[in-house]
Amino acid sequence: MAGDDYLARAEQRVRDAHQVLAELGLLDRWRRYGDPVLCGSVAYGLVVEPDIDLEVFTDEPSIDDGFELLHEIAKVPGVARCAFTNGLAGPDQGLYWRIVYDREGVRWNVDNWLLGRDHPGPLSTWLVEPMLAALTPTTREAVLEIKEAAYERSEPVQGIWVYRAVLEVDCAGTPRSGSGFEPSTRTRSPTGLRAEHVLTPR
């Protein structure tokens, strides 16, 4: 399958994801409470599964704020389900809401994390800039090929592992030329992807 096909499909999925956000009015709604940041595959332009990831930064994460927003979102046509997890006392140190939204026969999952501005990390937001800097058309095609194949087999994989495999190691398990990557010892890659991001994916 031509690489251009992978890229074209991903670009269309990114447009669809932004349309989902617009139809829900999600970014504007979150801005009442904090600063929303689009991260994950939509931010990288590597969408295969219909998932959207947002991290919203505020002075003090509030359950009331999140449910006030969800009260509005639940009334939007197409919203099928909303779910909540209080992770403030856990390693994620945040409040999580999932919004399930049906659009044109596709069920989208929108993951929303409400986090303190002083969150110690790791954060998905930290990955956006280094990922965009590291990706090339060739590595984008490789990532999308792997993710599409897994999705078609109903064996979805965590994107972060695919990104690391493509950006750091070739298919034979050999470090890419010039990367200096040593899987057993390296704690920081030349792309800026840090070990804790990979070892504790959200």
Side-chain angles (χ1 to χ4, degrees):
M1 189 176 295
D4 288 346
D5 293 339
Y6 290 115
L7 296 174
R9 284 194 295 275
E11 288 169 1
Q12 181 59 57
R13 295 185 197 110
V14 170
R15 289 192 291 270
D16 291 344
H18 281 281
Q19 189 62 36
V20 167
L21 292 172
E23 291 171 5
L24 294 173
L26 200 53
L27 295 178
D28 286 339
R29 295 181 198 273
W30 274 124
R31 287 189 184 104
R32 300 202 303 260
Y33 310 106
D35 300 315
V37 179
L38 185 62
C39 45
S41 63
V42 177
Y44 312 146
L46 296 172
V47 183
V48 171
E49 297 181 59
D51 296 329
I52 301 171
D53 297 294
L54 289 174
E55 290 181 337
V56 184
F57 296 93
T58 185
D59 292 334
E60 185 173 349
S62 165
I63 293 174
D64 289 341
D65 289 348
F67 274 103
E68 183 175 296
L69 181 146
L70 263 292
H71 178 74
E72 300 172 0
I73 289 290
K75 300 176 184 179
V76 176
V79 172
R81 185 168 63 88
C82 300
F84 167 69
T85 299
N86 185 338
L88 285 173
D92 289 309
Q93 299 181 43
L95 302 171
Y96 169 80
W97 286 268
R98 167 167 286 191
I99 300 166
V100 179
Y101 179 64
D102 293 330
R103 179 179 186 273
E104 297 182 355
V106 177
R107 173 155 287 192
W108 287 83
N109 293 311
V110 187
D111 294 335
N112 304 260
W113 279 95
L114 187 60
L115 305 164
R117 298 186 197 279
D118 59 351
H119 195 289
L123 297 166
S124 296
T125 300
W126 294 353
L127 277 174
V128 175
E129 187 175 341
M131 277 288 295
L132 292 176
L135 287 164
T136 67
T138 299
T139 54
R140 284 181 180 278
E141 290 170 15
V143 166
L144 291 167
E145 182 177 6
I146 294 168
K147 291 179 71 174
E148 283 196 10
Y151 188 58
E152 288 170 4
R153 294 196 303 267
S154 298
E155 298 175 358
V157 294
Q158 286 235 339
I160 188 65
W161 298 103
V162 180
Y163 308 148
R164 185 179 190 187
V166 170
L167 291 173
E168 296 295 350
V169 182
D170 65 22
C171 294
T174 304
R176 289 189 180 277
S177 177
S179 73
F181 178 66
E182 298 175 11
S184 62
T185 60
R186 192 173 182 89
T187 58
R188 184 177 179 84
S189 79
T191 61
L193 305 185
R194 293 165 28 154
E196 61 263 37
H197 297 148
V198 177
L199 296 175
T200 58
R202 197 188 308 282

